[in-house]
Amino acid sequence: MKDYRPDDFDFNQTLGEITQGIKKPNILICGATGAGKSSVVNYVFGEDVAKIGHGIPVTRGITKFQQENIGVVLYDTEGYEIGTEKVSNYKLNVETWVNEFRENESDKHQTMKTANDNSDLSNQIHEVWYCISAANKRVTDMDIDVIRMLNRKKLPLAVVLTQIDNVDAEELQAMEEAIRNNCQVEFFRTSVSDDEVVISALNDYLQWDELIKWAIDHLDESLREGFISALKGNLAAKKRLINHKIIPLYTSGAAGVALTPIPFSDAALLVPIQIKMSLHIMKTYGLDQKLGNLSSLVGSVVVSESGRLLAQTLSANLFKLIPGVGTAIGTTVNTAVASSFTAAMGYAISEICFRCATAVFEEGKEIEWNDYFNGENIGKLMTEWFRVARRG
Ligand SMILES: Nc1nc2c(ncn2[C@@H]2O[C@H](COP(=O)(O)OP(=O)(O)OP(=O)(O)O)[C@@H](O)[C@H]2O)c(=O)[nH]1
Ligand SMILES: [Mg+2]
């Protein structure tokens, strides 16, 4: 078997290829000044996504936030102040811009002719999050007016009822009633108070998870990965995406490599596939944002483990446990071996990344990456995957 060395691979380039392949949903964020738009965005995507000063004004009152390695594009509308002339301008601005958006975006794409833009969907607003602050204790005619206008354009729209820590239950109910009576939209209660007591008291009312589920469900399948990878936290959703969408992408790639029986020595062909899969998993958990050179660490571990473990598991007859793996094993890597070995590797890397992400993002721990990404952990988890596969 060819001995791959970490130097044979450009991990950052691979990570770049993965990033290029991810389509990004365009999300429009609406609401009055101080409604809590920025707070919602920061809560859902983390503070890096729409950093002050990083936006590009696209038209009067609308700022675009886009970063190469982040899977969503946000359009933040400058809020209107109740009682100023900005109120009437707001609706007109948003409406005009939404109308022109498609045209402008397709012009731009024609001029730029970006090689990797194969998405017919890129020139659309994919959904609207309309923020209404519960702190104002009322839903204004203006809000209703703009929501109806956007509804007529058939844009999926959710009302984010923000700052609910500022109202009592009755006031909240009255506002929800007002929304229900005036427009047909789904709404979700949120608050970003950093007071733990407040948040735990509100726990039964808060609907962040529901908002995120709504947002995912209303995106085209092809745009969900970008959205989910851009989320802060939400590790369970990320894990689901990895198991159901990302790992299968690579296991079928691996099966393709082995479609015609290939000599055992060519099992190394699986290494590049597994590296790319591992970096893809790591990126989905947002770990690539955390430490610049983590991709080379993960890549290197996969390079060294993949070959070793394949040889080892073959000799340990582990594969005999997998249905469909023929007796030719030992001389050829057939499709079942190639894909199950890759699936096992994907499972192991996903578990390890999940543990790291939990420690770093949810528990705020400083961790030693080597304690997580090492041959022992990968080997143990892969064996676990094979045991489950055998039983299943
Ligand atoms: N108590 C409480 N305050 C909040 C909450 N969300 C936002 N705020 C505060 O409300 C103010 C406005 O929030 P932003 O998120 O900046 O509102 P915005 O809609 O982005 O405002 P503009 O960009 O000026 O239109 C800030 O001082 C926030 O700290 C919340 O859930 N609870
Ligand atoms: Mg703001």
Side-chain angles (χ1 to χ4, degrees):
M1 191 181 313
K2 176 183 185 317
D3 260 346
Y4 274 117
R5 282 171 307 116
D7 290 351
D8 295 339
F9 297 95
D10 186 336
F11 302 114
N12 286 327
Q13 190 193 321
T14 306
L15 201 56
E17 285 165 19
I18 294 163
T19 307
Q20 295 277 302
I22 298 175
K23 291 179 189 166
K24 303 178 181 187
N26 298 315
I27 302 178
L28 175 64
I29 315 285
C30 290
T33 295
K37 298 180 293 296
S38 301
S39 305
V40 166
V41 165
N42 291 345
Y43 185 91
V44 173
F45 299 109
E47 315 237 322
D48 289 343
V49 174
K51 267 196 192 135
I52 295 168
H54 279 64
I56 313 154
V58 288
T59 186
R60 196 154 50 102
I62 298 178
T63 308
K64 176 182 186 176
F65 291 95
Q66 178 179 37
Q67 288 178 53
E68 197 181 340
N69 55 1
I70 290 175
V72 288
V73 180
L74 301 177
Y75 291 90
D76 189 8
T77 59
E78 186 185 307
Y80 46 90
E81 279 164 65
I82 295 163
T84 68
E85 107 190 66
K86 274 191 179 171
V87 176
S88 49
N89 286 344
Y90 183 81
K91 183 183 164 203
L92 190 65
N93 272 353
V94 172
E95 181 162 22
T96 312
W97 177 74
V98 169
N99 286 342
E100 288 173 355
F101 185 76
R102 169 162 260 165
E103 217 174 297
N104 289 339
E105 286 290 297
S106 37
D107 282 356
K108 199 164 63 194
H109 286 140
Q110 267 167 10
T111 350
M112 285 164 50
K113 283 214 189 324
T114 46
N116 59 359
D117 180 46
N118 51 3
S119 162
D120 304 321
L121 285 167
S122 68
N123 52 350
Q124 294 174 24
I125 290 294
H126 300 104
E127 55 189 48
V128 184
W129 296 9
Y130 197 103
C131 299
I132 298 179
S133 171
N136 292 337
K137 314 206 186 230
R138 66 194 193 95
V139 179
T140 65
D141 292 346
M142 177 68 197
D143 291 325
I144 301 293
D145 208 21
V146 180
I147 291 169
R148 284 183 180 160
M149 177 273 288
L150 293 166
N151 270 346
R152 279 197 297 275
K153 297 191 185 303
K154 305 263 184 285
L155 291 171
L157 181 149
V159 167
V160 186
L161 204 48
T162 62
Q163 315 197 19
I164 66 160
D165 52 302
N166 277 317
V167 279
D168 60 35
E170 254 170 55
E171 291 166 330
L172 190 60
Q173 222 172 8
M175 285 188 77
E176 295 182 355
E177 208 52 35
I179 298 171
R180 246 185 244 116
N181 291 341
N182 287 291
C183 35
Q184 277 195 315
V185 282
E186 286 187 67
F187 54 85
F188 302 93
R189 297 182 289 263
T190 69
S191 166
V192 299
S193 169
D194 38 351
D195 187 333
E196 302 238 343
V197 181
V198 172
I199 292 300
S200 72
L202 287 174
N203 212 11
D204 290 345
Y205 289 93
L206 293 175
Q207 295 179 309
W208 286 114
D209 291 347
E210 288 85 348
L211 169 65
I212 286 163
K213 184 177 184 307
W214 178 92
I216 295 170
D217 289 348
H218 286 79
L219 287 175
D220 184 81
E221 181 83 37
S222 65
L223 296 165
R224 289 182 185 166
E225 179 182 348
F227 182 86
I228 293 171
S229 67
L231 291 171
K232 187 176 102 175
N234 288 279
L235 299 179
K238 289 173 191 252
K239 198 184 224 180
R240 274 196 301 278
L241 176 81
I242 288 163
N243 287 339
H244 297 298
K245 290 277 167 323
I246 295 175
I247 294 175
L249 207 67
Y250 293 93
T251 54
S252 53
V257 162
L259 252 184
T260 46
I262 49 173
F264 176 43
S265 62
D266 286 345
L269 285 173
L270 296 178
V271 175
I273 294 175
Q274 297 187 342
I275 288 173
K276 195 165 182 183
M277 172 180 70
S278 303
L279 296 180
H280 200 153
I281 292 169
M282 186 191 82
K283 181 183 167 52
T284 308
Y285 282 117
L287 290 169
D288 59 318
Q289 307 278 307
K290 201 60 200 170
L291 194 74
N293 61 0
L294 187 60
S295 58
S296 35
L297 172 66
V298 175
S300 303
V301 173
V302 173
V303 172
S304 59
E305 291 310 310
S306 186
R308 192 179 68 78
L309 284 163
L310 181 56
Q312 191 188 310
T313 40
L314 281 172
S315 64
N317 287 335
L318 255 180
F319 282 107
K320 284 197 181 143
L321 306 171
I322 301 170
V325 176
T327 47
I329 248 180
T331 53
T332 63
V333 175
N334 69 18
T335 55
V337 170
S339 60
S340 55
F341 181 63
T342 304
M345 176 66 81
Y347 167 77
I349 296 290
S350 176
E351 268 313 301
I352 292 172
C353 287
F354 184 85
R355 291 173 193 174
C356 281
T358 305
V360 173
F361 298 127
E362 314 226 307
E363 294 158 7
K365 285 188 194 152
E366 294 265 341
I367 61 167
E368 277 298 331
W369 303 102
N370 299 307
D371 293 347
Y372 291 76
F373 290 101
N374 57 51
E376 198 192 337
N377 282 345
I378 293 180
K380 241 190 257 169
L381 287 161
M382 285 178 73
T383 310
E384 191 177 299
W385 186 92
F386 282 116
R387 277 212 198 95
V388 174
R390 178 170 49 145
R391 265 190 262 123

